């Protein structure tokens, strides 16, 4: 490692990723703290998730007026959302608008992937290696006192290793790396593998655009209608008028939604009372079904089963062919223990003549052939395969960077048995590295922009505090990390969440350690804990 004198000047901070997190992080550090910051982004545009996920039907499962930044009242007033659940292109336009409005682009380097980072103990800074250019051969080494990972929780795509994929004569795409020019499905026979939130959003659109769609389902899912609709000028104006109250409620809510946790308990309600609540929420649509039905939905198996059975009843009533309806009924996990999808006409789509459902739990996929997909029962000939097979969630994107902390310890080694963090914000042994919505924080269990803003503000306040005191280095203490990891585990055990083979526990990636990764205790409680840590002079951190 070279000394400070013969290396380029050290940046104050380096941010990785230009999604919701990275853009706001850059703005806070540069424009409020006046730091010298650079942001590196692998894509050729800003937007993160909304840059990469351009698959047919991609839209947000949170409503536009609260799936947005709250930090700038001017931004809130000048931007008008056009529908309840914004489509991917609209969110991408919004993030581009943010990048322009706050003049962020001059400090963003696109088409540059952060490949490796090593902590220089003597200089208390990170040496970061980037890769760019067609073959990824060009790059540079930069040094930064602080590194903030804003790489996202769902950004490292999972393309299962099916035999024969390289011999497939048609085209195939992963939903998380969709071609910018789009895909013309007209006249095509399409296979869709995966029925998570993405597959469920894509199914009705693919069915409408293609000649024939075959959906390969491994695990049936519980989906609730979104009830999307355009936002009228009156509704948009009303939202603008009430933004402050909306944001305040989001901050106090365990899920980051503009409604508080319900104190209504289903265990005390009759079947009729429960069903009336479910029916009301079904008609209203969206994730309220999970967040606002009953306070004991996620910790009482009987209560959860009543919600699950209500949804199964809706599936049976919607899907005309009883055998297909039966295949679509989820039985292997409690409702909500996998991130629940919301949809527009998902179940209705299976009534179309050009749609077929294949159960690959019963008859697994054996291989991809030149002409299609072979299961243990049949070969399905298709022209295009769409992989809606998800992500190496919460850890994949960070582990793709060769990170080396104190004593040359790699993050891959440290996290071999599952991610370990203090508050999802820092990792013992990796000083001056912060993770926005890292594992161990509520992140993916919330409306993300609210969780993101809380993290970005906590991290920038922390960096400001350190600089005011000339403290060069901050590192999570191992004992604080251990205590937090145990707390995250204990909290999860009080709920039904660990009962599912979900990506929350890494079950979708062969060989990944099974650890429940997000903090289930609620964003409101988590926020209080983070504030308390800061108020106590960053309790649990070693300062040097
Ligand atoms: O991915 P998933 P996703 N053979 O992992 C199946 C967010 N999101 O992209 O359940 C056959 O949920 C897999 O089957 P199984 C949201 O947080 C947000 O849909 O593992 N099938 C499953 O059905 C969401 O949760 C929005 O048995 C295979 C599917 O592929 C997260 O992204 C919109 C397979 C993967 O489902 C991920 O959702 C969309 C194999 N080998 C998504 N491997 C918003 O609106 C996997 N599968 C913000």
């Amino acid at each position: 490692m070279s000394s400070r004198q013969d290396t380029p000047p050290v940046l104050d901070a380096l941010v990785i990723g230009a999604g919701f997190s990275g853009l706001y992080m850059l703005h806070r550090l540069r424009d409020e703290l006046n730091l010298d910051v650079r942001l590196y982004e692998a894509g050729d545009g800003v937007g993160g998730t909304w840059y990469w996920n351009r698959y047919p039907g991609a839209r947000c499962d949170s409503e536009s007026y609260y799936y947005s930044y709250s930090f700038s009242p001017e931004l809130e007033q000048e931007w008008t959302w056009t529908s309840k659940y914004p489509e991917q292109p609209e969110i991408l336009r919004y993030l581009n608008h943010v990048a322009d409005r706050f003049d962020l682009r001059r400090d963003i380097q696109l088409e540059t992937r952060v490949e490796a980072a090593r902590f220089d103990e003597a200089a208390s800074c990170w040496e970061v290696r980037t890769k760019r250019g067609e073959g990824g051969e060009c790059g540079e080494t930069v040094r930064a006192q602080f590194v903030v990972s804003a790489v996202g929780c769902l950004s490292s795509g999972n393309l299962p290793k099916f035999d024969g994929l390289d011999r497939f004569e048609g085209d195939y795409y992963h939903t998380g790396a969709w071609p910018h020019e789009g895909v013309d499905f007209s006249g095509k026979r399409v296979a869709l593998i995966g029925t998570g939130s993405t597959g469920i959003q894509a199914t009705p659109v693919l069915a409408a655009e293609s000649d024939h769609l075959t959906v390969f389902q491994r695990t049936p899912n519980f989906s609730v209608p979104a009830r999307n609709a355009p936002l009228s000028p009156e509704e948009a104006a009303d939202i603008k008028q009430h933004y402050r109250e909306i944001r305040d409620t989001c901050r106090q809510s365990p899920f980051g939604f503009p409604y508080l946790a319900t104190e209504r308990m289903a265990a005390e309600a009759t079947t009729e009372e429960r069903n009336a609540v479910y029916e009301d929420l079904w008609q209203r649509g969206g994730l309220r079904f999970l967040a606002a039905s009953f306070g004991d939905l996620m910790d009482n198996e009987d209560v959860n089963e009543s919600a699950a059975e209500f949804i199964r009843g809706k599936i049976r009533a919607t899907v005309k062919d009883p055998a297909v309806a039966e295949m679509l009924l989820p039985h292997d996990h409690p409702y909500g223990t996998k991130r629940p999808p919301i949809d527009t006409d998902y179940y209705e789509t299976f009534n179309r003549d050009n749609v077929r459902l294949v159960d690959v739990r019963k008859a697994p996929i054996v291989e991809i052939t030149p002409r299609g997909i072979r299961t243990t029962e049949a070969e399905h000939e298709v022209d295009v395969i769409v992989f809606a097979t998800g992500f190496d969630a919460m850890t994949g994107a960070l582990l793709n960077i060769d990170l080396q902390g104190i004593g040359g310890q790699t993050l891959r080694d440290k996290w071999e048995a599952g991610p370990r963090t203090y508050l999802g914000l820092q990792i013992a042994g990796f000083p001056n590295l912060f993770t926005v919505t890292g594992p161990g924080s509520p992140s993916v269990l919330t409306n993300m922009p609210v969780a993101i803003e809380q993290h970005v503000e906590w991290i920038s306040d922390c960096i400001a505090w350190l600089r005011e005191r000339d403290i060069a280095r901050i590192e999570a203490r191992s004992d604080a990390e251990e205590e937090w990891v145990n707390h995250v585990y204990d909290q999860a055990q009080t709920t039904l969440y660990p009962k599912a083979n979900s990506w929350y526990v890494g079950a979708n990636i062969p060989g990944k350690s099974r650890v429940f990764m997000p903090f289930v205790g609620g964003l409101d409680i988590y926020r209080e804990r983070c504030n308390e840590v800061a108020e106590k002079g960053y309790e649990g951190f070693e300062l040097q």
Side-chain angles (χ1 to χ4, degrees):
M1 176 72 64
S2 47
S3 72
R4 262 180 187 214
Q5 287 74 16
D6 56 19
T7 52
V10 181
L11 291 166
D12 294 322
L14 185 152
V15 180
I16 313 171
F20 259 98
S21 314
L23 293 178
Y24 184 34
M25 196 76 239
L26 171 58
H27 172 57
R28 281 287 286 213
L29 293 177
R30 189 194 67 183
D31 302 331
E32 297 198 11
L33 269 59
N34 225 357
L35 302 190
D36 184 13
V37 191
R38 198 179 302 163
L39 186 155
Y40 290 93
E41 163 58 50
D44 72 359
V46 304
T49 283
W50 303 103
Y51 169 91
W52 297 103
N53 287 267
R54 300 172 189 234
Y55 58 87
R59 63 170 73 243
C60 187
D61 287 346
S62 290
E63 292 177 57
S64 47
Y65 72 93
Y66 56 89
Y67 189 85
S68 50
Y69 290 117
S70 73
F71 69 84
S72 163
E74 297 78 19
L75 172 65
E76 282 172 344
Q77 293 305 316
E78 73 201 15
W79 183 267
T80 303
W81 294 103
T82 63
S83 66
K84 214 169 148 187
Y85 295 98
E87 277 185 322
Q88 172 271 332
E90 189 171 11
I91 308 175
L92 187 58
R93 277 199 303 279
Y94 170 75
L95 291 170
N96 273 284
H97 170 74
V98 169
D100 291 330
R101 191 191 192 287
F102 297 98
D103 192 20
L104 300 177
R105 294 187 200 274
R106 65 186 155 92
D107 292 302
I108 298 177
Q109 192 167 315
L110 298 172
E111 295 181 89
T112 308
R113 187 172 284 283
V114 169
E115 198 177 33
R118 192 158 63 108
F119 190 67
D120 177 345
E121 293 177 48
S124 282
C125 77
W126 284 90
E127 190 170 275
V128 178
R129 203 172 69 236
T130 67
K131 193 166 98 172
R132 68 182 314 206
E134 281 218 337
E137 62 291 342
C138 308
E140 58 183 332
T141 299
V142 273
R143 293 162 68 81
Q145 187 188 4
F146 297 103
V147 170
V148 183
S149 161
V151 294
C153 298
L154 295 156
S155 47
S156 176
N158 167 42
L159 187 67
K161 290 186 175 49
F162 289 117
D163 279 348
L165 184 57
D166 52 335
R167 295 191 301 277
F168 181 56
E169 285 169 2
D171 297 317
Y172 68 89
Y173 308 95
H174 188 279
T175 50
W178 202 256
H180 289 200
E181 63 282 11
V183 178
D184 182 3
F185 290 104
S186 48
K188 298 272 169 65
R189 296 163 304 170
V190 180
L192 172 72
I193 304 181
T195 52
S197 298
T198 301
I200 282 177
Q201 284 187 337
T203 293
V205 186
L206 289 174
E209 290 183 1
S210 67
D211 187 48
H212 188 273
L213 174 68
T214 309
V215 177
F216 292 80
Q217 169 191 270
R218 188 165 68 180
T219 309
N221 222 323
F222 294 100
S223 190
V224 170
R227 312 261 180 233
N228 188 32
L231 273 182
S232 68
E234 295 72 35
E235 286 168 311
D238 187 58
I239 288 166
K240 287 188 183 186
Q241 210 189 333
H242 293 99
Y243 257 131
R244 295 284 55 79
E245 298 103 277
I246 292 167
R247 304 302 194 185
D248 284 349
T249 313
C250 286
R251 283 192 203 101
Q252 291 163 35
S253 136
F255 300 98
F257 289 146
Y259 35 89
L260 298 176
T262 175
E263 287 176 9
R264 183 169 51 196
M265 295 294 161
E268 294 155 11
T270 64
T271 305
E272 291 70 32
E273 285 164 346
R274 289 178 187 185
N275 284 341
V277 169
Y278 297 141
E279 183 62 37
D280 173 50
L281 293 171
W282 182 270
Q283 294 309 329
R284 292 169 76 184
L287 292 170
R288 272 177 192 269
F289 197 94
L290 173 75
S293 54
F294 292 105
D296 45 359
L297 180 74
M298 295 310 295
D299 54 31
N300 179 321
E301 241 166 304
D302 291 339
V303 169
N304 191 289
E305 179 54 22
S306 70
E309 192 45 35
F310 176 89
I311 298 176
R312 289 187 204 112
K314 291 290 186 187
I315 300 171
R316 288 189 195 98
T318 308
V319 180
K320 291 187 182 137
D321 181 334
V324 176
E326 198 56 37
M327 275 164 72
L328 286 164
L329 300 182
H331 285 288
D332 80 330
H333 62 283
Y335 170 68
T337 53
K338 286 186 158 196
R339 154 67 154 77
I342 65 170
D343 71 273
T344 301
D345 296 336
Y346 175 63
Y347 295 116
E348 289 81 350
T349 300
F350 292 95
N351 294 331
R352 291 177 65 117
D353 291 337
N354 71 332
V355 176
R356 179 165 182 203
L357 181 65
V358 172
D359 180 349
V360 296
R361 173 83 61 203
K362 190 166 133 247
I365 296 172
V366 179
E367 61 168 348
I368 310 290
T369 67
R371 290 185 306 181
I373 298 176
R374 187 196 305 284
T375 69
T376 52
E377 278 178 356
E379 182 177 6
H380 302 267
E381 290 191 10
V382 292
D383 307 303
V384 183
I385 304 175
V386 175
F387 289 94
T389 43
F391 302 90
D392 183 355
M394 304 207 75
T395 56
L398 198 55
L399 288 173
N400 283 341
I401 302 170
D402 178 13
L403 277 163
Q404 282 183 41
I406 303 266
Q409 185 189 29
T410 65
L411 188 62
R412 200 162 272 285
D413 280 347
K414 162 137 191 173
W415 281 5
E416 207 190 345
R420 301 176 64 76
T421 72
Y422 179 37
L423 299 166
L425 279 162
Q426 259 219 354
I427 304 156
F430 294 78
N432 291 8
L433 168 71
F434 293 98
T435 50
V436 181
T437 62
S441 74
S443 64
V444 291
L445 299 177
T446 72
N447 170 40
M448 286 300 276
V450 183
I452 286 169
E453 286 194 330
Q454 186 259 335
H455 261 197
V456 166
E457 287 161 15
W458 191 95
I459 293 167
S460 56
D461 289 350
C462 173
I463 291 176
W465 187 92
L466 296 170
R467 291 178 71 91
E468 277 160 22
R469 288 162 182 77
D470 260 336
I471 298 170
R473 180 169 150 170
I474 179 166
E475 182 191 350
R477 283 203 333 249
S478 304
D479 58 334
E481 183 178 84
E482 175 77 11
E483 182 263 331
W484 184 251
V485 168
N486 292 338
H487 183 56
V488 170
Y489 174 84
D490 292 343
Q491 288 282 303
Q493 297 313 307
T494 65
T495 72
L496 301 173
Y497 280 101
K499 290 194 177 289
N501 287 325
S502 66
W503 58 254
Y504 294 147
V505 297
N508 62 329
I509 303 296
K512 187 166 173 171
S513 298
R514 297 266 179 124
V515 174
F516 191 82
M517 295 182 280
F519 172 66
V520 292
L523 184 56
D524 48 345
I525 288 170
Y526 173 81
R527 181 191 299 275
E528 276 171 27
R529 174 72 189 263
C530 291
N531 289 347
E532 210 179 280
V533 163
E535 278 155 21
K536 291 186 178 162
Y538 295 92
E539 187 183 45
F541 291 93
E542 191 86 42
L543 307 172
Q544 279 180 42

